[in-house]
Amino acid sequence: MRLNVLVLPGDGIGVEVTREAVRVLRHAAARWRHDLALSEALLGGIAIHKTGSPLPGETLRLASEADATLMGAVGLPEFDNAPPEKRPEKGLLGLRQALGVYANLRPVRAHASQLDSSPLKNHLVEGADMIIVRELTGGLYYGVPRGITEDGAETRAVNTMTYTRSEIERVARVAFRLAQARRKKVTSVDKSNVLENSQLWRRVVTEVAREYPDVALDHMLVDNCAMQLILNPRRFDIVLTENMFGDILSDEGAVLAGSIGMLPSASIGDRRPSGAWVGLYEPVHGSAPDIAGQNKANPLGAIGSVAAMLEYSFGLKEEASAVDAAIDAVLSSGKVTADLRPSGAPATTEQVGQAVCAAIG
Ligand code: NAD
């Protein structure tokens, strides 16, 4: 199969973790004899430095031509006080919107060999295995009006949380389809006791659920969900929620998995006329300026994102399972980066990438 993949290393540790993810992708492509066509482009802070824009036109063009895009992370401290249009994160938001990837899938699994890395008690996290499905192209992060205005003596900031029925329906269907292939349970998370937006969300998700009678649906308020994720994570199979709630809740998943560096994500849109699913794959973590350039970032979130790409964009389930199994094997072997090994000699980012390739065989 021809795998036409665009790589956007981005900023900070994004560069280091995508290098290892690409190593694993090349290895898997060679092992299963796929024809891998890789291209690379600029996104985020590095793109601002080199072109003046966080999302250059050339990057957009290459992303729209690729079958799948692998992204590292964006964000550089020197842009922390820059206006929104000139921030690295704007490039990522623009890319997600341009690709129309409206469903962000964030698998959270407590790996048996890493239970001690979680600050939670082993008996709470053991067996936790869920996918957080976050709506990605709507809600507060995109709604208008938005901005900061000066009105006489007062300064006002406005953001708008907006969803349409069709935006909710399409992401809900992704969640229910995923549930059908798993434990057949969707928990829809909202704030319907306060927000009209969430009332529409709850109503539409309930209607979509009727199309999937084999899947059980329950609803949970986001504040309670934040608590239940920690108290009883095993109760969740698919967690379906809107953009900002999903952004926040999925970082809690890092506590269950042991480190944010472990978490992969897949952002899926509609099918291309060719039949391929549009997909953007990236680890959940950011650019981690505190450890950038030190060869100590955990690349397993980025490598797990390659597994997700093989499965969702290319339908290569055997290859995807082999990469996931290799990640498990490396975790069990103890060859892990410092975030998973508070004492003893940790492996480097590069050594973990090499170990995953060796485990694939
Ligand atoms: P972060 O995820 O970059 O880092 C949070 C903490 O986790 C840091 O202590 C970091 O060292 C650690 N960490 C993160 N990834 C790790 C890995 N792979 N291995 C080991 N440790 C890891 O979040 P932050 O510090 O809030 O943000 C830093 C920058 O990243 C900001 O500019 C922010 O806007 C950006 N950001 C980008 C994305 C993205 O590109 N998708 C996501 C979140 C934050």
Side-chain angles (χ1 to χ4, degrees), residues 147-191:
I148 302 176
T149 52
E150 306 289 340
D151 176 13
E154 195 52 287
T155 307
R156 184 180 303 275
V158 174
N159 288 94
T160 302
M161 190 175 196
T162 170
Y163 272 107
T164 60
R165 166 177 287 276
S166 53
E167 283 175 322
I168 302 168
E169 281 174 354
R170 64 185 185 178
V171 70
R173 290 199 177 100
V174 170
F176 281 98
R177 282 201 301 267
L178 282 171
Q180 281 181 317
R182 292 172 47 97
R183 301 198 306 278
K184 298 187 170 48
K185 190 173 166 197
V186 170
T187 301
S188 175
V189 176
D190 61 40
K191 188 69 183 166

Side-chain angles (χ1 to χ4, degrees), residues 13 73-75 89 92 260-261 282 284-291 297-298 339:
I13 63 166
V74 295
E89 294 79 2
L92 179 55
I260 194 159
E282 51 178 310
V284 167
H285 62 76
S287 56
D290 53 334
I291 57 167
N298 186 343
D339 51 317

Side-chain angles (χ1 to χ4, degrees), residues 45 118 273:
S118 170

Side-chain angles (χ1 to χ4, degrees), residues 215-236:
V215 177
L217 168 69
D218 66 344
H219 300 277
M220 190 178 278
L221 296 176
V222 62
D223 36 358
N224 184 27
C225 183
M227 188 166 69
Q228 295 304 325
L229 275 174
I230 300 297
L231 287 178
N232 188 12
R234 272 194 300 269
R235 82 174 291 295
F236 296 103

